[in-house]
Short mmCIF file of all heavy atoms in Angstrom, two decimals:
data_model
loop_
_atom_site.label_atom_id
_atom_site.label_comp_id
_atom_site.label_asym_id
_atom_site.label_seq_id
_atom_site.Cartn_x
_atom_site.Cartn_y
_atom_site.Cartn_z
N HIS A 122 -11.26 106.60 35.47
CA HIS A 122 -11.32 107.57 36.55
C HIS A 122 -9.88 108.05 36.79
O HIS A 122 -8.98 107.24 37.01
CB HIS A 122 -11.91 106.88 37.80
CG HIS A 122 -11.84 107.71 39.04
ND1 HIS A 122 -12.13 107.18 40.28
CD2 HIS A 122 -11.55 109.02 39.26
CE1 HIS A 122 -12.00 108.12 41.21
NE2 HIS A 122 -11.65 109.23 40.61
N TYR A 123 -9.72 109.36 36.74
CA TYR A 123 -8.39 109.96 36.88
C TYR A 123 -8.28 110.74 38.18
O TYR A 123 -9.17 111.55 38.50
CB TYR A 123 -8.16 110.91 35.69
CG TYR A 123 -6.92 111.78 35.79
CD1 TYR A 123 -5.72 111.40 35.20
CD2 TYR A 123 -6.96 113.00 36.47
CE1 TYR A 123 -4.59 112.20 35.28
CE2 TYR A 123 -5.83 113.81 36.56
CZ TYR A 123 -4.65 113.40 35.96
OH TYR A 123 -3.54 114.19 36.05
N GLU A 124 -7.24 110.48 38.94
CA GLU A 124 -6.90 111.30 40.11
C GLU A 124 -5.44 111.70 40.00
O GLU A 124 -4.66 111.05 39.32
CB GLU A 124 -7.12 110.51 41.41
CG GLU A 124 -8.58 110.18 41.71
CD GLU A 124 -9.43 111.41 42.03
OE1 GLU A 124 -8.86 112.48 42.30
OE2 GLU A 124 -10.67 111.29 41.99
N TYR A 125 -5.09 112.78 40.68
CA TYR A 125 -3.71 113.23 40.67
C TYR A 125 -3.30 113.47 42.10
O TYR A 125 -3.98 114.21 42.82
CB TYR A 125 -3.59 114.53 39.85
CG TYR A 125 -2.16 114.89 39.52
CD1 TYR A 125 -1.49 114.22 38.50
CD2 TYR A 125 -1.50 115.89 40.23
CE1 TYR A 125 -0.17 114.54 38.19
CE2 TYR A 125 -0.18 116.22 39.91
CZ TYR A 125 0.48 115.53 38.90
OH TYR A 125 1.77 115.83 38.61
N GLY A 126 -2.23 112.81 42.53
CA GLY A 126 -1.82 112.97 43.92
C GLY A 126 -2.49 111.94 44.80
O GLY A 126 -3.11 111.00 44.32
N PRO A 127 -2.36 112.13 46.11
CA PRO A 127 -2.72 111.05 47.03
C PRO A 127 -4.22 110.88 47.32
O PRO A 127 -4.61 109.87 47.87
CB PRO A 127 -1.99 111.46 48.32
CG PRO A 127 -1.87 112.95 48.23
CD PRO A 127 -1.81 113.31 46.78
N ASP A 128 -5.05 111.87 46.98
CA ASP A 128 -6.46 111.73 47.39
C ASP A 128 -7.38 111.64 46.16
O ASP A 128 -6.94 111.45 45.05
CB ASP A 128 -6.87 112.89 48.31
CG ASP A 128 -6.68 114.23 47.64
OD1 ASP A 128 -6.65 114.26 46.38
OD2 ASP A 128 -6.55 115.25 48.35
N TYR A 129 -8.67 111.79 46.43
CA TYR A 129 -9.66 111.62 45.36
C TYR A 129 -10.31 112.95 44.98
O TYR A 129 -11.43 112.98 44.50
CB TYR A 129 -10.71 110.59 45.79
CG TYR A 129 -10.20 109.17 45.68
CD1 TYR A 129 -9.44 108.58 46.69
CD2 TYR A 129 -10.47 108.41 44.54
CE1 TYR A 129 -8.96 107.28 46.57
CE2 TYR A 129 -10.00 107.11 44.41
CZ TYR A 129 -9.24 106.56 45.42
OH TYR A 129 -8.77 105.27 45.29
N SER A 130 -9.56 114.07 45.19
CA SER A 130 -10.19 115.37 45.01
C SER A 130 -10.23 115.84 43.55
O SER A 130 -11.00 116.72 43.21
CB SER A 130 -9.48 116.41 45.88
OG SER A 130 -8.12 116.45 45.51
N TYR A 131 -9.39 115.28 42.69
CA TYR A 131 -9.45 115.70 41.28
C TYR A 131 -10.77 115.28 40.65
O TYR A 131 -11.36 116.03 39.91
CB TYR A 131 -8.26 115.14 40.49
CG TYR A 131 -7.10 116.11 40.41
CD1 TYR A 131 -6.41 116.46 41.56
CD2 TYR A 131 -6.72 116.68 39.21
CE1 TYR A 131 -5.36 117.36 41.51
CE2 TYR A 131 -5.67 117.59 39.14
CZ TYR A 131 -4.99 117.92 40.30
OH TYR A 131 -3.96 118.82 40.25
N ALA A 132 -11.18 114.05 40.93
CA ALA A 132 -12.48 113.54 40.46
C ALA A 132 -12.73 113.86 38.99
O ALA A 132 -13.66 114.59 38.64
CB ALA A 132 -13.60 114.08 41.34
N ARG A 133 -11.88 113.31 38.13
CA ARG A 133 -12.01 113.57 36.70
C ARG A 133 -12.15 112.27 35.91
O ARG A 133 -11.75 111.20 36.39
CB ARG A 133 -10.74 114.25 36.18
CG ARG A 133 -10.55 115.66 36.65
CD ARG A 133 -9.39 116.22 35.89
NE ARG A 133 -8.94 117.49 36.41
CZ ARG A 133 -8.01 118.23 35.80
NH1 ARG A 133 -7.45 117.80 34.69
NH2 ARG A 133 -7.65 119.38 36.31
N ALA A 134 -12.64 112.42 34.70
CA ALA A 134 -12.61 111.32 33.74
C ALA A 134 -11.36 111.53 32.89
O ALA A 134 -10.90 112.66 32.73
CB ALA A 134 -13.84 111.38 32.86
N ALA A 135 -10.80 110.44 32.35
CA ALA A 135 -9.69 110.58 31.41
C ALA A 135 -9.95 109.67 30.22
O ALA A 135 -10.70 108.69 30.32
CB ALA A 135 -8.37 110.25 32.06
N VAL A 136 -9.33 110.03 29.10
CA VAL A 136 -9.55 109.31 27.84
C VAL A 136 -8.20 108.97 27.20
O VAL A 136 -7.27 109.78 27.25
CB VAL A 136 -10.35 110.20 26.85
CG1 VAL A 136 -10.68 109.44 25.57
CG2 VAL A 136 -11.63 110.72 27.49
N ALA A 137 -8.10 107.77 26.64
CA ALA A 137 -6.91 107.36 25.89
C ALA A 137 -7.37 106.59 24.67
O ALA A 137 -8.50 106.07 24.64
CB ALA A 137 -6.00 106.51 26.76
N VAL A 138 -6.49 106.48 23.67
CA VAL A 138 -6.92 105.87 22.41
C VAL A 138 -5.78 105.06 21.79
O VAL A 138 -4.61 105.36 22.01
CB VAL A 138 -7.43 107.00 21.45
CG1 VAL A 138 -6.30 107.92 21.01
CG2 VAL A 138 -8.18 106.46 20.27
N SER A 139 -6.15 104.02 21.03
CA SER A 139 -5.12 103.20 20.38
C SER A 139 -5.68 102.51 19.14
O SER A 139 -6.88 102.22 19.07
CB SER A 139 -4.61 102.13 21.36
OG SER A 139 -3.68 101.28 20.73
N ASP A 140 -4.79 102.26 18.17
CA ASP A 140 -5.20 101.51 16.98
C ASP A 140 -5.24 100.03 17.26
O ASP A 140 -5.84 99.26 16.52
CB ASP A 140 -4.18 101.74 15.84
CG ASP A 140 -4.21 103.17 15.34
OD1 ASP A 140 -5.28 103.81 15.45
OD2 ASP A 140 -3.16 103.65 14.87
N ASP A 141 -4.54 99.62 18.29
CA ASP A 141 -4.36 98.20 18.57
C ASP A 141 -4.67 97.95 20.04
O ASP A 141 -4.08 98.58 20.92
CB ASP A 141 -2.90 97.84 18.24
CG ASP A 141 -2.63 96.35 18.32
OD1 ASP A 141 -3.33 95.65 19.06
OD2 ASP A 141 -1.70 95.91 17.63
N ILE A 142 -5.56 97.03 20.29
CA ILE A 142 -5.98 96.73 21.66
C ILE A 142 -4.82 96.26 22.54
O ILE A 142 -4.84 96.41 23.76
CB ILE A 142 -7.13 95.68 21.65
CG1 ILE A 142 -7.74 95.44 23.03
CG2 ILE A 142 -6.67 94.35 21.11
CD1 ILE A 142 -8.66 96.48 23.47
N GLU A 143 -3.78 95.70 21.92
CA GLU A 143 -2.68 95.14 22.72
C GLU A 143 -1.49 96.09 22.84
O GLU A 143 -0.50 95.75 23.48
CB GLU A 143 -2.20 93.83 22.07
CG GLU A 143 -3.29 92.79 21.97
CD GLU A 143 -2.75 91.44 21.52
OE1 GLU A 143 -1.54 91.33 21.27
OE2 GLU A 143 -3.56 90.50 21.44
N LYS A 144 -1.57 97.22 22.18
CA LYS A 144 -0.43 98.15 22.17
C LYS A 144 -0.70 99.35 23.08
O LYS A 144 -1.85 99.68 23.34
CB LYS A 144 -0.18 98.63 20.74
CG LYS A 144 0.21 97.53 19.78
CD LYS A 144 1.70 97.25 19.84
CE LYS A 144 2.07 95.84 19.40
NZ LYS A 144 1.66 95.52 18.04
N PRO A 145 0.39 100.02 23.55
CA PRO A 145 0.19 101.17 24.43
C PRO A 145 -0.78 102.19 23.86
O PRO A 145 -0.77 102.48 22.66
CB PRO A 145 1.60 101.77 24.52
CG PRO A 145 2.51 100.61 24.28
CD PRO A 145 1.80 99.73 23.30
N PHE A 146 -1.64 102.71 24.72
CA PHE A 146 -2.61 103.71 24.32
C PHE A 146 -1.99 105.11 24.37
O PHE A 146 -1.08 105.35 25.16
CB PHE A 146 -3.83 103.67 25.24
CG PHE A 146 -4.87 102.64 24.85
CD1 PHE A 146 -4.51 101.32 24.64
CD2 PHE A 146 -6.20 102.99 24.68
CE1 PHE A 146 -5.45 100.36 24.27
CE2 PHE A 146 -7.15 102.04 24.32
CZ PHE A 146 -6.78 100.73 24.12
N THR A 147 -2.51 106.00 23.54
CA THR A 147 -2.10 107.40 23.59
C THR A 147 -3.07 108.13 24.51
O THR A 147 -4.29 108.10 24.28
CB THR A 147 -2.16 108.04 22.18
OG1 THR A 147 -1.34 107.25 21.32
CG2 THR A 147 -1.68 109.48 22.19
N TYR A 148 -2.51 108.76 25.53
CA TYR A 148 -3.34 109.48 26.49
C TYR A 148 -3.86 110.76 25.83
O TYR A 148 -3.09 111.49 25.20
CB TYR A 148 -2.48 109.81 27.71
CG TYR A 148 -3.21 110.53 28.81
CD1 TYR A 148 -4.03 109.86 29.70
CD2 TYR A 148 -3.05 111.91 28.95
CE1 TYR A 148 -4.70 110.53 30.71
CE2 TYR A 148 -3.71 112.58 29.97
CZ TYR A 148 -4.53 111.88 30.84
OH TYR A 148 -5.18 112.56 31.84
N VAL A 149 -5.14 111.02 25.95
CA VAL A 149 -5.72 112.21 25.30
C VAL A 149 -5.87 113.36 26.30
O VAL A 149 -5.31 114.43 26.11
CB VAL A 149 -7.09 111.88 24.65
CG1 VAL A 149 -7.68 113.12 23.99
CG2 VAL A 149 -6.95 110.75 23.64
N LYS A 150 -6.61 113.13 27.39
CA LYS A 150 -6.86 114.23 28.33
C LYS A 150 -7.59 113.73 29.58
O LYS A 150 -8.12 112.61 29.61
CB LYS A 150 -7.72 115.30 27.66
CG LYS A 150 -9.09 114.74 27.25
CD LYS A 150 -9.99 115.82 26.69
CE LYS A 150 -11.28 115.21 26.17
NZ LYS A 150 -12.18 116.14 25.58
N SER A 151 -7.62 114.59 30.59
CA SER A 151 -8.50 114.37 31.73
C SER A 151 -9.37 115.61 31.88
O SER A 151 -8.94 116.71 31.53
CB SER A 151 -7.69 114.14 33.01
OG SER A 151 -7.15 115.35 33.48
#
Side-chain angles (χ1 to χ4, degrees):
H122 172 190
Y123 171 95
E124 293 292 345
Y125 193 77
D128 58 22
Y129 282 84
S130 59
Y131 266 65
R133 290 188 190 187
V136 184
V138 67
S139 177
D140 292 332
D141 187 333
I142 187 77
E143 301 188 359
K144 297 275 155 59
F146 275 52
T147 304
Y148 181 80
V149 179
K150 61 176 175 182
S151 75

